[in-house]
Amino acid sequence: EVQLVESGGGLVQPGGSLRLSCAASGFTFSSYSMNWVRQAPGKGLEWVSYISSSSGTISYADSVKGRFTISRDNAKNSLYLQMNSLRDEDTAVYYCARRGTHGTTDLWGQGTLVTVSS
Amino acid sequence: EIVMTQSPATLSVSPGERATLSCRASQSVNSNLAWYQQKPGQAPRLLIYGASTRATGIPVRFSGSGSGTEFTLTISSLQSEDFAVYYCQQYNNWLTFGGGTKVEIK
């Protein structure tokens, strides 16, 4: 089955760190660029970060630049998001999403909830 | 950053009726526009890409149109399972999403 499964979410204090993982299966992970997209409770969708298939191109939203780091391990079919200096406003469900052949995000995981609170 | 604006924020429609949702980009995104459906507790589901191409398995009652800065998603005859929040997304320059349109039962 073609799927993405996120993990690593949880409760963290402001200023803390968390590492999210996304496990891909059912397709050739190394051939696809990937994104992280988040959704604050009751709010809309916000793109967070992008990484190309070979990790040669990486980009971040201004809201997380300098605090978050995206990476991938094609041998392990896995995508990661290292989140440092977390703020209350980073509280959200974080989705990993595949960039499909047509350029848009055609496959999404079920999401993992990150709560930043003291 | 390209800003995407959706209207209306909420659309009240009776089952069987037609729903028309709008999305406007702050600058041209060509045809690099997608529509997603999201239900509570679920991930977004891709409906339309390339402004007008239905994704695999999407019913023909969903159609998209437009190019440049003005786009429309039309649901020709609303079914019970179509009541949800709909987002547009531009992928011409990274990704940005509209604020969403909630389609609710009238």
Side-chain angles (χ1 to χ4, degrees):
Chain A
E1 181 185 1
V2 176
Q3 64 176 357
L4 298 168
V5 179
E6 301 94 337
S7 60
L11 176 64
V12 61
Q13 292 188 338
S17 298
L18 212 55
R19 189 195 196 205
L20 305 183
S21 299
C22 170
S25 59
F27 65 98
T28 306
F29 178 71
S30 59
S31 296
Y32 290 87
S33 300
M34 298 293 296
N35 293 275
W36 285 99
V37 177
R38 67 184 180 183
Q39 186 170 35
K43 302 298 184 183
L45 299 162
E46 178 189 17
W47 170 74
V48 172
S49 186
Y50 165 92
I51 186 168
S52 63
S53 58
S54 62
S55 304
T57 300
I58 286 175
S59 184
Y60 299 96
D62 288 344
S63 58
V64 307
K65 201 172 294 183
R67 301 187 299 123
F68 290 11
T69 302
I70 192 171
S71 62
R72 65 190 294 161
D73 186 335
N74 287 341
K76 294 183 177 179
N77 292 330
S78 293
L79 174 72
Y80 306 101
L81 186 68
Q82 177 67 42
M83 303 186 297
N84 299 330
S85 303
L86 282 162
R87 305 167 179 166
D88 291 350
E89 56 265 34
D90 295 320
T91 293
V93 173
Y94 284 74
Y95 297 100
C96 61
R98 184 180 76 176
R99 182 183 186 273
T101 53
H102 300 287
T104 190
T105 43
D106 65 348
L107 178 67
W108 295 61
Q110 86 290 347
T112 187
L113 176 62
V114 172
T115 303
V116 183
S117 175
S118 54
Chain B
E1 178 187 332
I2 299 175
V3 177
M4 306 300 292
T5 303
Q6 289 187 243
S7 61
T10 304
L11 188 61
S12 298
V13 186
S14 299
E17 288 189 339
R18 182 187 195 91
T20 302
L21 290 66
S22 297
C23 176
R24 174 177 293 178
S26 60
Q27 63 189 78
S28 176
V29 298
N30 300 302
S31 292
N32 296 315
L33 191 285
W35 290 94
Y36 294 83
Q37 177 192 70
Q38 189 179 36
K39 297 180 179 179
Q42 296 184 14
R45 172 195 181 197
L46 178 63
L47 299 175
I48 301 285
Y49 63 89
S52 61
T53 303
R54 276 186 301 277
T56 303
I58 301 304
V60 297
R61 64 180 181 272
F62 290 92
S63 63
S65 64
S67 66
T69 61
E70 300 283 344
F71 301 89
T72 301
L73 174 70
T74 301
I75 311 171
S76 60
S77 177
L78 271 158
Q79 306 299 303
S80 58
E81 62 268 28
D82 300 335
F83 292 96
V85 179
Y86 292 82
Y87 293 95
C88 63
Q89 176 212 61
Q90 69 80 20
Y91 52 97
N92 194 63
N93 182 12
W94 305 116
L95 301 178
T96 49
F97 296 86
T101 292
K102 181 180 181 181
V103 177
E104 64 177 25
I105 300 175
K106 185 174 183 180

